[in-house]
């Protein structure tokens, strides 16, 4: 089968798009009339890359991660796999046939492998949080008023999604798949045994009219539409939220803690609870809700300089069983969180969408929640919010206690910091005719190498949304070129101009890999496709995937993602492995916002040490460039 990699239209576009045009425009927060889904049909299908291309690139990317002897063994394994009429070619043909039958050969497999089949807790390990810059509200009154504005802004945004009026995201000139925007509201993950499932009611014949409000561990269904279909105004919402808060002053049983457990434990408890009709009805309402709003209890005081990191952590995990970790439903795709001390943020369940559509919605919320325009307010005849009740048997009460202990231990083990590098941002890097994203990624490589004296297997998300139903591939930021640069800096025997050249080479190599990855020529999803093809056709898993080198390459010391936002929003997530960091960054014109996470039980990986090293690396790389450039 000749996949669209040979499609002349696609090739022409690839040639036409120079470096500068390969940009994923961050946030389409402006709402325009009559655009949205019109282009979907014309998007190309995700190609299956040629086998040889992937195997050659695989060897290149693993080279800095293993020693010479191990690499020789891997070369042999890869050669055998790629032989003419060998196992690799058989799997490649089957994969191409599968791709011929599908709108996107990868999307269902990726949803299962990356999310629904994972048995780890979604908390810290999977769901990212987003924190907003600090507002100046305090107390319950301020909390309710701010929460009402946030809800009203999301409902406005939803009108644009429903009417297909959002402007189309683009990478350079290429339009991107907008399907994920349809999946972020009115959707929920459902726990299962061995595998979860996912439900989305946005396009159902009877779309939901309610949101889920969680306060003091009580759950409420709140209808947010007038009879004429217009959304409630912020003023009306404030009245309704007040009723909810007044009626739930005593803490409820923290059933939400169960949703933070590993998926099998939660799946078993869910199965037990779901046998009861009242519980079943409450679950159904939660699953259908447009999104969840968590009105959190007061959290302990932290100094101003730690406030953002603290908020980011509370959004990521709730702050503990004694704080707000039970005041959640972590299966809900969108949980907006509003505290009593100027804090607004979100936790999103990752399976339906990547960060950029979420960031686009939040940019809209941030920009518009203080200026919502004309709204339809009645203030009378608003229906009463309905509390969702649960019958919790003794055995599940014990599970809730256990869930509390588990989340407390997980939080205790997490180090998370949100920081702002203020000395320069994208503008300086662009003035050097370099890609800001690649510059930042190479700084991660050097900072890591300095601290740990080895090359880090690195994951950066690269968008595949140029293709229909596309999600991501991995940009492997660690290359022989980045490794050479890091070693050259540490060895300290090169001239400034040699170092600057090695830096430019490393940045260029990263940008090259990025362009390939977002063009469907990455290696990670292709290799996954070959592995799954073997498993699904009852063949043995090929040696390539059992090789220690493959395991090393998949153990991501740096798990990173750029999520650009127009506002100073910060996304955060946990690290992928104990020997590593999770880093999310929002590069702005003249500063860079970053979150860095690691696990405390590995003291060699301290976020504060890494952050200090990274900031001095940023400065050092700037100085290297300036020392050999006439432009300031
Ligand atoms: N000289 C001057 N300017 C340059 C340049 C160069 N050599 N290379 C790039 N630039 C400019 C770009 O034109 C762009 O300008 P803009 O700010 O005016 O738009 C800017 O620098 C940023 O480009 P760059 O830093 O190269 O990154 P990018 O915007 O192309 O993004 C990825 C790279 C990998 C982040 C992006 O392609 C992507 O895939 N994003 C999705 C990630 C994702 O899904 N994350 C969430 C996972 S949950």
């Amino acid at each position: 089968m000749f996949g669209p990699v040979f499609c002349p239209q696609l090739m022409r576009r690839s040639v036409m798009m120079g470096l500068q045009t390969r940009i994923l425009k961050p946030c389409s927060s402006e709402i325009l009339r009559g655009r949205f889904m019109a282009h979907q049909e014309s998007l190309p299908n995700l190609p299956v890359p040629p086998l040889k291309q992937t195997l050659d690139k695989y060897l290149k990317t693993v080279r800095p991660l293993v020693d010479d002897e191990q690499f020789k063994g891997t070369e042999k394994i890869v050669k055998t796999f790629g032989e003419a009429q060998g196992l690799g070619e058989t799997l490649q043909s089957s994969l191409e046939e599968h791709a011929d039958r599908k709108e996107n050969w990868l999307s269902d497999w990726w949803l299962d492998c990356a999310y629904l089949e994972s048995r780890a807790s979604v908390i810290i390990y999977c769901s990212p949080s987003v924190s907003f810059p600090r507002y100046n509200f305090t107390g319950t009154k301020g909390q309710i008023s701010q929460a009402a504005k946030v809800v009203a802004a999301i409902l406005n945004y939803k009108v644009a999604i429903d009417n297909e009026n959002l402007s189309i995201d683009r990478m350079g000139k290429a339009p991107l798949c907008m399907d994920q925007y349809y999946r972020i509201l009115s959707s929920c993950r459902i726990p299962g045994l061995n595998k979860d499932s996912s439900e989305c009611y946005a396009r159902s014949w009877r779309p939901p009219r309610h949101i889920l409000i969680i306060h003091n561990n009580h759950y409420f269904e709140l209808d947010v539409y007038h009879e004429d279909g217009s959304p409630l105004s912020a003023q009306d919402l404030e009245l309704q939220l007040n009723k909810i808060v007044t009626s739930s002053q005593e803490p409820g049983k923290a059933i939400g803690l169960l949703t933070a457990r590993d998926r099998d434990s939660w799946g078993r408890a869910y199965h037990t609870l779901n046998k009861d009709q009242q519980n079943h009805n409450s679950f159904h309402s939660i699953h259908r809700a447009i999104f969840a709003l968590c009105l959190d209890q007061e959290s302990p005081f932290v100094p101003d300089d730690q406030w953002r990191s603290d908020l980011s952590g509370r959004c990521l995990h709730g702050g503990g069983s004694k704080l707000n970790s039970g005041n959640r439903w972590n299966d809900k795709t969108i949980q907006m969180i509003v505290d009593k001390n100027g804090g607004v943020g979100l936790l999103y369940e990752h399976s339906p969408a990547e960060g950029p559509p979420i960031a686009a919605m939040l940019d809209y919320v941030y920009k518009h929640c203080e200026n919502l325009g004309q709204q339809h307010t009645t203030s009378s005849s608003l229906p009463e919010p309905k509390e969702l009740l649960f019958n919790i048997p003794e055995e599940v009460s014990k599970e809730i206690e256990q869930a509390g202990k588990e989340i407390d231990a997980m939080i205790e083990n997490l180090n998370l910091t949100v920081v702002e590098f203020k000395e320069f941002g994208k503008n300086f890097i662009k003035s050097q005719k370099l890609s800001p994203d690649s510059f930042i990624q190479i700084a991660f490589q050097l900072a890591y190498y300095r601290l740990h004296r080895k090359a880090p297997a690195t994951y950066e998300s690269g968008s595949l949304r140029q293709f229909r139903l596309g999600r991501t591939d991995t940009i492997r930021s660690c290359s022989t070129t980045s490794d050479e640069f890091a070693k050259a800096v540490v060895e300290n025997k090169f001239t400034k101009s040699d170092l600057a050249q090695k830096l430019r080479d490393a940045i260029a190599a990263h940008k090259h890999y990025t362009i390939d990855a977002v063009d469907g020529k990455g290696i990670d999803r292709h290799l996954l496709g070959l592995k799954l093809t073997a498993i699904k056709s009852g063949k043995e898993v090929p040696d390539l995937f059992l090789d220690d080198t493959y395991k090393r390459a998949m153990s991501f010391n740096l798990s990173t993602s750029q999520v650009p936002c127009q506002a100073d929003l910060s996304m955060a997530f946990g690290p992928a492995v104990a020997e590593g960091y999770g880093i999310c960054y929002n590069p702005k014109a003249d500063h860079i916002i970053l979150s860095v996470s690691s696990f405390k039980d590995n003291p060699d990986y301290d976020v504060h040490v890494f952050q200090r090293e990274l900031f001095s690396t940023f400065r050092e790389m700037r100085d290297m460039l300036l020392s050999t450039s006439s432009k300031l």
Side-chain angles (χ1 to χ4, degrees):
M1 164 263 188
F2 290 100
V5 74
F6 296 112
C7 160
Q9 187 200 348
L10 193 68
M11 285 181 73
R12 225 179 10 254
R13 207 176 60 211
S14 303
V15 172
M16 276 160 49
M17 291 174 131
L19 270 182
Q20 276 92 323
T21 58
R22 312 292 315 190
I23 309 155
L24 176 57
K25 283 291 168 212
C27 302
S28 50
S29 60
E30 295 308 325
I31 292 170
L32 301 173
R33 294 265 136 212
R35 297 263 185 101
F36 202 28
M37 292 291 279
H39 73 295
Q40 284 290 111
E41 299 260 303
S42 66
L43 293 174
N45 287 3
L46 179 68
V48 178
L51 181 64
K52 184 170 179 330
Q53 175 183 297
T54 294
L55 296 181
D56 289 350
K57 273 195 198 173
Y58 172 68
L59 285 174
K60 273 194 198 153
T61 62
V62 298
R63 186 64 199 93
L65 303 177
V66 296
D67 62 28
D68 293 350
E69 200 180 328
Q70 190 172 330
F71 185 70
K72 271 188 200 146
T74 299
E75 273 184 317
K76 272 193 203 148
I77 291 173
V78 169
K79 195 171 167 212
T80 309
F81 183 74
E83 269 168 2
Q85 291 157 27
L87 181 55
E89 286 197 354
T90 309
L91 295 176
Q92 175 81 0
S93 309
S94 306
L95 179 58
E96 287 173 354
E97 279 166 25
H98 167 78
D100 268 347
R101 294 190 296 269
K102 303 290 281 188
E103 204 176 350
N104 182 311
W105 64 263
L106 175 65
S107 52
D108 290 347
W109 287 356
W110 181 246
L111 179 67
D112 287 353
C113 283
Y115 303 106
L116 302 181
E117 285 170 3
S118 165
R119 302 292 80 202
S121 164
V122 292
I123 297 304
I124 297 175
Y125 298 108
C126 189
S127 298
S129 74
V130 178
S131 59
F132 283 37
R134 194 172 196 162
Y135 287 91
N136 62 6
F137 67 82
T138 50
T140 306
K141 198 165 177 295
Q143 175 187 40
I144 290 176
S145 156
Q146 187 63 41
K149 291 181 213 165
V150 166
V151 172
I154 296 182
L155 294 176
N156 271 356
Y157 194 76
K158 183 174 182 298
V159 172
I161 295 178
D162 292 346
N163 293 344
E164 302 190 358
N165 287 336
L166 289 178
S167 64
I168 293 161
D169 291 343
R170 287 177 189 276
M171 193 183 279
K173 288 188 181 151
L176 301 185
C177 177
M178 298 295 283
D179 183 74
Q180 291 176 28
Y181 284 88
Y182 270 124
R183 300 178 188 274
I184 58 180
L185 295 174
S186 312
S187 59
C188 198
R189 179 164 166 164
I190 319 292
L193 299 175
N194 303 322
K195 185 180 169 185
D196 292 358
S197 55
S198 142
E199 290 179 358
C200 181
Y201 295 91
R203 284 181 266 189
S204 63
W205 67 274
R206 196 171 55 86
R209 295 169 49 93
H210 68 278
I211 63 171
L212 172 71
I213 311 289
I214 316 179
H215 176 251
N216 234 343
N217 304 338
H218 293 272
Y219 294 79
F220 293 87
E221 177 182 302
L222 178 67
D223 192 331
V224 286
Y225 289 97
H226 294 289
E227 272 173 15
D228 66 1
S230 61
L232 294 196
S233 65
Q235 205 179 324
D236 285 342
L237 286 163
E238 204 173 321
L239 282 174
Q240 297 292 68
L241 294 182
N242 253 311
K243 289 183 201 163
I244 286 173
V245 168
T246 311
S247 71
S248 51
Q249 289 299 305
E250 290 302 313
K253 208 163 209 172
I255 186 174
L257 287 173
L258 293 172
T259 66
R261 291 195 87 185
D262 69 272
R263 303 305 294 177
D264 277 339
S265 301
W266 168 215
R268 277 193 296 275
Y270 176 82
H271 189 68
T272 307
L273 289 167
N274 202 27
K275 288 180 192 153
D276 176 281
Q277 189 59 43
Q278 178 165 266
N279 294 341
H280 177 82
N281 294 345
S282 297
F283 285 151
H284 188 58
S285 171
I286 291 173
H287 298 163
R288 280 177 49 83
I290 298 165
F291 64 96
L293 168 70
C294 308
L295 294 170
D296 275 5
Q297 296 304 312
E298 188 90 44
S299 53
F301 170 83
V302 290
D304 281 355
D305 63 343
Q306 288 164 33
W307 183 85
R308 191 73 188 265
S309 304
D310 183 65
L311 172 65
S312 199
R314 283 185 281 118
C315 291
L316 196 64
H317 49 60
S321 62
K322 306 270 177 314
L323 209 53
N324 292 298
S325 295
N327 202 48
R328 299 283 185 272
W329 198 267
N330 297 310
D331 295 348
K332 208 62 207 150
T333 307
I334 303 278
Q335 295 191 87
M336 291 304 305
I337 296 155
V338 183
D339 74 8
K340 295 187 190 221
N341 197 20
V344 175
L346 147 147
L347 184 74
Y348 88 91
E349 198 287 299
H350 208 326
S351 58
E354 308 306 335
I358 307 281
M361 184 180 82
L362 294 183
D363 259 331
Y364 176 87
V365 171
Y366 187 71
K367 188 168 170 190
H368 293 274
C369 70
E370 299 302 330
N371 180 14
L372 289 157
Q374 215 182 6
Q375 294 199 295
H376 175 177
T377 299
T378 58
S379 304
S380 60
S381 71
L382 292 169
E384 287 303 301
K386 177 180 155 200
E387 180 157 11
L388 303 173
L389 300 170
F390 293 96
N391 292 317
I392 302 178
E394 187 51 32
E395 57 187 296
V396 177
S397 292
K398 284 192 187 135
E399 302 254 337
I400 294 175
E401 258 176 59
Q402 176 59 23
K405 288 182 193 152
E406 285 169 8
I407 185 90
D408 290 345
M410 281 159 66
I411 294 170
E412 180 54 34
N413 193 28
L414 182 77
N415 241 321
L416 172 69
T417 186
V418 177
V419 284
E420 203 173 306
F421 179 73
K422 294 183 176 151
E423 292 166 47
F424 61 86
K426 286 196 290 185
N427 283 353
F428 163 73
I429 306 167
K430 285 198 240 174
S431 76
Q432 295 298 308
K433 304 209 170 1
L434 295 170
S435 148
D437 185 68
S438 300
F439 177 98
I440 293 168
Q441 285 287 333
I442 297 306
F444 295 160
Q445 295 297 311
L446 176 53
Y448 187 98
Y449 187 80
R450 269 235 173 85
L451 290 175
H452 305 291
R453 293 297 145 109
K454 57 184 177 193
T458 306
Y459 182 110
E460 181 190 357
S461 323
S463 177
L464 286 179
R465 285 177 54 213
Q466 282 191 75
F467 304 99
R468 205 181 309 168
L469 305 185
R471 298 282 305 251
T472 58
D473 204 333
T474 309
I475 300 166
R476 288 190 169 262
S477 305
C478 178
S479 63
T480 40
T481 331
S482 69
D483 192 45
E484 260 173 49
F485 166 64
K487 284 180 176 149
V489 175
V490 171
E491 280 168 20
N492 200 19
K493 55 184 186 199
F494 289 86
T495 63
K496 275 186 181 169
S497 101
D498 283 347
L499 286 180
Q501 190 52 51
K502 284 182 188 296
L503 170 58
R504 286 182 182 276
D505 291 347
I507 290 173
H510 178 271
K511 188 65 197 177
H512 187 74
Y513 199 109
T514 300
I515 291 171
D516 269 4
V518 301
D519 241 354
K521 297 179 202 134
I523 61 165
D524 280 69
R525 302 302 180 262
H526 184 200
L527 289 173
L528 175 74
L530 294 168
K531 183 178 168 190
L532 289 177
T533 304
I535 293 169
K536 285 175 195 292
S537 59
K539 294 193 169 60
E540 276 185 19
V541 175
D543 287 348
L544 188 151
F545 303 107
L546 304 173
D547 182 19
D548 281 346
T549 300
Y550 183 76
K551 290 180 197 150
R552 170 77 190 96
M554 297 307 284
S555 176
F556 291 108
N557 308 100
L558 291 175
S559 169
T560 74
S561 188
Q562 180 188 147
V563 181
C565 307
Q566 286 168 2
D568 277 1
L569 308 182
S570 165
M571 192 172 272
F573 44 75
V577 295
E579 288 195 341
Y581 307 95
I583 311 174
C584 194
Y585 50 105
N586 177 9
K588 312 290 294 179
D590 53 12
H591 62 286
I592 305 167
I593 302 168
L594 300 113
S595 68
V596 186
S597 62
S598 70
F599 292 125
K600 281 186 196 158
D601 59 8
N602 190 341
D604 293 340
Y605 288 76
D606 181 307
V607 289
H608 302 291
V609 175
F610 183 81
Q611 175 257 307
R612 279 195 294 274
E613 190 62 49
L614 181 63
F615 282 17
S616 75
T617 301
F618 281 151
R619 287 182 204 108
E620 192 180 355
M621 283 173 39
R622 173 197 57 195
D623 295 346
M624 275 176 208
L625 295 172
L626 288 179
S627 70
T628 53
S629 135
S630 52
K631 283 195 175 187
L632 289 184

